[in-house]
Amino acid sequence: MLDLNTLSEFSRANCISICAFLVPANLIATSLTMILVFIHRQRLSQQVGQACGIASFFAVTMILHVYTWFEVGIVRPQTFILLLLAISCLLTNIVAVWLHHRLVKVVLSAEC
């Protein structure tokens, strides 16, 4: 059984290392999603979805990590900056996938 209290304590105890991994991982994965979308080739649809899934996983993990700090009442500028970064990466990935599907539709209809 998963003990959320233990998981939250682990998250808070290892905050520096978690953030040192998640911040660059979020930025790199989101950048990869944007690059794949702006290449906008039809055969890259699966890769765009995979890149978005990985980037969204990192963003949701960071949001949950920040909420563990809110849970104990730590409200500092760093928590809001990390939360803003995670939410903006998540929204960027959602918009990128939506834009990619829209571009693929336009290209397919233009070829017919």
Side-chain angles (χ1 to χ4, degrees):
M1 188 154 155
L2 184 64
D3 185 17
L4 293 178
N5 190 28
T6 305
L7 194 59
S8 295
E9 285 297 323
F10 175 80
S11 176
R12 288 188 295 269
N14 297 304
C15 182
I16 300 292
S17 57
I18 290 172
C19 289
F21 172 75
L22 284 178
V23 169
N26 263 319
L27 295 174
I28 291 169
T30 301
S31 298
L32 178 64
T33 304
M34 291 186 334
I35 288 169
L36 289 173
V37 166
F38 290 118
I39 290 175
H40 66 79
R41 293 188 183 144
Q42 296 170 12
R43 66 175 194 258
L44 294 178
S45 291
Q46 185 178 7
Q47 292 175 350
V48 170
Q50 289 172 349
C52 178
I54 292 169
S56 297
F57 173 75
F58 289 145
V60 169
T61 303
M62 184 177 285
I63 290 170
L64 293 174
H65 172 66
V66 169
Y67 279 137
T68 63
W69 284 105
F70 289 152
E71 181 180 88
V72 292
I74 305 295
V75 179
R76 300 184 70 190
Q78 295 91 334
T79 55
F80 287 111
I81 291 169
L82 289 173
L83 186 62
L84 180 65
L85 173 72
I87 290 172
S88 64
C89 284
L90 191 61
L91 290 176
T92 301
N93 284 302
I94 291 169
V95 168
V97 168
W98 174 76
L99 182 64
H100 179 72
H101 286 294
R102 192 169 172 151
L103 286 172
V104 167
K105 263 190 209 176
V106 169
V107 170
L108 286 177
S109 66
E111 289 178 354
C112 292

